[in-house]
Amino acid sequence: MLTFQEEGHIYRWDDKIVPSVTQIIGEWITFPTFAYNIYTKQSIDIDRFITARETGKELHALAKKMVQGEEEFSSIPSELMLPIYEYKKWIADYHVKPIHIETPIFSKKLNVAGTPDLICRIMNDDSRIALVEIKTGLINEMARVQLATYKYLARNYYQEQRAIDIYELILPRSGKPYKFKKHEQKYIVDFELEFFMSRLSQFNFLERRRKK
């Protein structure tokens, strides 16, 4: 049985802690005064990094309520008003019907867990489903790796037979119109999944060596 502990972001399968997709990707390393992105080589002040992370969590919580049909919010932070407006517009534009909202999933084969932001139907098409990751930045280096891996996990966890399309939904904090990007080139998606598998192999190797 899969469980998720929000504090510490800990997944367990049959009471054993298992790594997460984002943990395996390992995009950011934090230090006392700054955070460093190992892929883009970008570094930012640690306070700014923590603020952005917490704001992102709050945006996801509000988005979850909205896609569930809760449209009245007693207090929305001013910096999230415009992104939430764009999210509401996206729901209407694409006739979004949620199937799984921030539901943890797990692969026994890979021994990895993760939580896609949203799995849904769009445009009244029941023949395929959309797996959506919500981002606020215009450049998300590892978004496709996340999406390709979540697609693999979701296909097996739910035994889903329908086509699964993967999308990045970008909600700029500036209030600019949302961008809904479909990643559909199969060879690119396969390459991104291959990258994740290589990171997973590295992780498992280091874990085995650490336990010796």
Side-chain angles (χ1 to χ4, degrees), residues 49-63:
F49 175 80
I50 292 171
T51 298
R53 184 176 60 190
E54 293 307 310
T55 301
K57 287 181 182 178
E58 197 161 5
L59 174 64
H60 279 76
L62 290 168

Side-chain angles (χ1 to χ4, degrees), residues 73-125:
F73 304 104
S74 56
S75 60
I76 297 179
S78 58
E79 67 270 21
L80 295 181
M81 288 291 291
L82 295 175
I84 284 296
Y85 172 81
E86 287 300 311
Y87 187 68
K88 183 177 181 179
K89 187 174 185 300
W90 170 74
I91 291 172
D93 289 348
Y94 283 87
H95 306 284
V96 175
K97 303 295 182 187
I99 301 171
H100 304 289
I101 308 168
E102 292 192 7
T103 303
I105 55 179
F106 175 73
S107 168
K108 286 185 180 180
K109 181 178 180 180
L110 302 183
N111 194 46
V112 170
T115 304
D117 290 336
L118 178 65
I119 297 176
C120 61
R121 293 193 302 273
I122 59 175
M123 302 305 291
N124 300 314
D125 185 354

Side-chain angles (χ1 to χ4, degrees), residues 121-136:
R121 293 193 302 273
I122 59 175
M123 302 305 291
N124 300 314
D125 185 354
D126 290 330
S127 67
R128 54 202 312 118
I129 60 176
L131 194 156
V132 182
E133 275 296 296
I134 301 169
K135 303 293 183 184
T136 55

Side-chain angles (χ1 to χ4, degrees), residues 19-37:
S20 70
V21 170
T22 51
Q23 181 183 354
I24 297 300
I25 294 172
E27 188 171 8
W28 289 93
I29 301 174
T30 57
F31 297 92
T33 59
F34 68 96
Y36 180 74
N37 188 307

